[in-house]
Every structure is written in C-alpha cells, then in structure tokens.
Amino acid sequence: MFFVLVDIGCSECGEASNIVGIFTSKEKAIGAKEIYCKENRLEENEDHELLIYQIDEVDKIYNNSYEHLV
C-alpha cells in the first residue's frame, strides 16, 4: 500500500499542482503534509489543498475520485 501526497495548486493565481511525495504509510504521508505546509508557509484556509490518495500498486491508472482519498 502506498500513500501519495498531492498539493492541489491554485487555479486563480496559476500555481501548478504538485506531487509532494509517495509514502509507505498513512502516518508518514500525514507527517510529510505537516512539514510541507510549514516549510512552504501554507495555511489550511489558503488556496492550496493538500490531499492524500491511497494506492495499492504502481504502473496503474487510478480514477482520482474521493474514494481514493485518505
């Protein structure tokens, strides 16, 4: 099982989305989210949204719907 942390960018200001990292546990992904937000001075209520998706294998196309969110 893997956990992908994605920074959903800002469509209004034109900042691109970013795959922050792929982690082997939910806890590591959550910890990385906290570090990423602190280092990049992102507040929860800003234009960025950080999502963690759970995937079960690589080399596979995923439908990035809410059912894959942690």
Side-chain angles (χ1 to χ4, degrees):
M1 194 71 55
F2 300 101
F3 299 86
V4 182
L5 176 58
V6 180
D7 176 358
I8 306 300
C10 175
S11 61
E12 291 181 16
C13 68
E15 188 161 350
S17 295
N18 176 35
I19 295 176
V20 177
I22 302 171
F23 304 92
T24 55
S25 74
K26 179 180 173 181
E27 292 76 20
K28 288 181 181 181
I30 292 170
K33 178 181 176 181
E34 293 170 0
I35 291 168
Y36 182 83
C37 286
K38 184 176 181 179
E39 288 179 351
N40 291 283
R41 297 179 180 92
L42 300 177
E43 300 294 328
E44 288 294 327
N45 60 357
E46 286 192 13
D47 294 327
H48 288 256
E49 185 174 6
L50 283 109
L51 304 176
I52 299 173
Y53 290 91
Q54 180 177 321
I55 61 173
D56 57 1
E57 62 182 280
V58 295
D59 300 328
K60 176 181 175 181
I61 296 173
Y62 285 87
N63 177 7
N64 290 338
S65 63
Y66 286 109
E67 63 198 34
H68 294 100
L69 287 174
V70 171

